[in-house]
Amino acid sequence: DAGVIQSPRHEVTEMGQEVTLRCKPISGHDYLFWYRQTMMRGLELLIYFNNNVPIDDSGMPEDRFSAKMPNASFSTLKIQPSEPRDSAVYFCASSFGTGGQETQYFGPGTRLLVL
Amino acid sequence: GDSVTQMEGPVTLSEEAFLTINCTYTATGYPSLFWYVQYPGEGLQLLLKATKADDKGSNKGFEATYRKETTSFHLEKGSVQVSDSAVYFCALRTGANSKLTFGKGITLSVRP
């Protein structure tokens, strides 16, 4: 399997612009997670989906952030408008099943810089 | 709520030194415990896990034992290598909830 695929790997944009991050989970996985990693706050869970349905979005920082999962093989995280404090590495992860023991598989991340 | 506390870093060791990275947790119920590793420029990957008290997870020479009495899951390796240089995250999950709670991570640098 190709693993979790994220695009773009790097994104540089100017404040106020819209940013869209993309994720393709591992085929057959029914959970998808979006995380943000910064030096100050560490690794934060933003939102996760089960069978394409958002389950917990309590980590989404504000209304500027939105996430969708239109089908089992694709998800987007959108920031509109972007701000310099959104600069971070954004990770997508996927897993299969429930029970508490499942491994989450992470993508390589998208490094976002907002100028 | 659930939380994971890791020792402050960074940690710098010489090759073949003994490694201990401390991790303690607070959780409702009986969590499953995990160590993830992040190599430079990459995403996180599972290193090892333990799902019940006294279980020992092991992989690539790393070990961690689930200690319910001390609510700890310390990571150890008897002889580190330069290739072990990475960021290490302790994490937990409670019940059937798929959400992982991560510690802040600690950077390990191993000198030749």
Side-chain angles (χ1 to χ4, degrees), chain B residues 41-97:
Chain B
E42 299 182 11
L44 282 70
Q45 55 186 273
L46 180 68
L47 180 59
L48 53 84
K49 66 181 180 182
T51 58
K52 61 183 186 296
D54 299 326
D55 269 2
K56 178 185 285 187
S58 61
N59 186 27
K60 299 181 180 180
F62 290 89
E63 294 183 339
T65 300
Y66 188 142
R67 300 288 188 197
K68 181 182 172 185
E69 63 276 12
T70 55
T71 61
S72 65
F73 193 54
H74 303 323
L75 182 69
E76 296 182 337
K77 187 175 185 180
S79 176
V80 294
Q81 305 300 312
V82 173
S83 57
D84 294 327
S85 298
V87 181
Y88 292 81
F89 293 89
C90 186
L92 68 82
R93 180 191 287 130
T94 52
N97 186 349

Side-chain angles (χ1 to χ4, degrees), chain A residues 37 91 100-104, chain B residues 36 38 44 46 49 93 98:
Chain A
Q37 185 180 38
F91 290 103
Q101 305 173 21
E102 304 73 35
T103 298
Q104 288 188 18
Chain B
Y36 278 78
Q38 183 181 26
L44 282 70
L46 180 68
K49 66 181 180 182
R93 180 191 287 130
S98 291

Side-chain angles (χ1 to χ4, degrees), chain A:
Chain A
D1 200 310
V4 176
I5 299 173
Q6 291 187 247
S7 65
R9 292 294 308 275
H10 303 273
E11 177 81 26
V12 180
T13 190
E14 292 187 346
M15 183 173 63
Q17 295 298 307
E18 178 179 294
V19 176
T20 299
L21 311 181
R22 297 173 176 80
C23 175
K24 176 178 169 57
I26 292 173
S27 178
H29 282 192
D30 54 353
Y31 283 85
L32 184 140
F33 306 82
W34 282 102
Y35 292 90
R36 177 172 69 175
Q37 185 180 38
T38 61
M39 290 293 291
M40 291 297 296
R41 300 175 68 90
L43 194 63
E44 306 171 274
L45 176 66
L46 301 178
I47 185 172
Y48 77 92
F49 296 82
N50 176 220
N51 291 323
N52 314 335
V53 177
I55 302 300
D56 183 348
D57 65 354
S58 59
M60 295 286 264
E62 49 198 273
D63 291 346
R64 297 185 298 107
F65 286 68
S66 62
K68 294 182 179 179
M69 193 166 185
N71 57 63
S73 59
F74 183 66
S75 177
T76 60
L77 178 67
K78 187 174 294 186
I79 309 172
Q80 167 62 17
S82 59
E83 296 182 2
R85 60 192 169 120
D86 302 330
S87 298
V89 181
Y90 291 81
F91 290 103
C92 176
S94 69
S95 67
F96 173 73
T98 59
Q101 305 173 21
E102 304 73 35
T103 298
Q104 288 188 18
Y105 295 85
F106 283 73
T110 294
R111 187 173 296 274
L112 173 65
L113 178 61
V114 183
L115 302 174

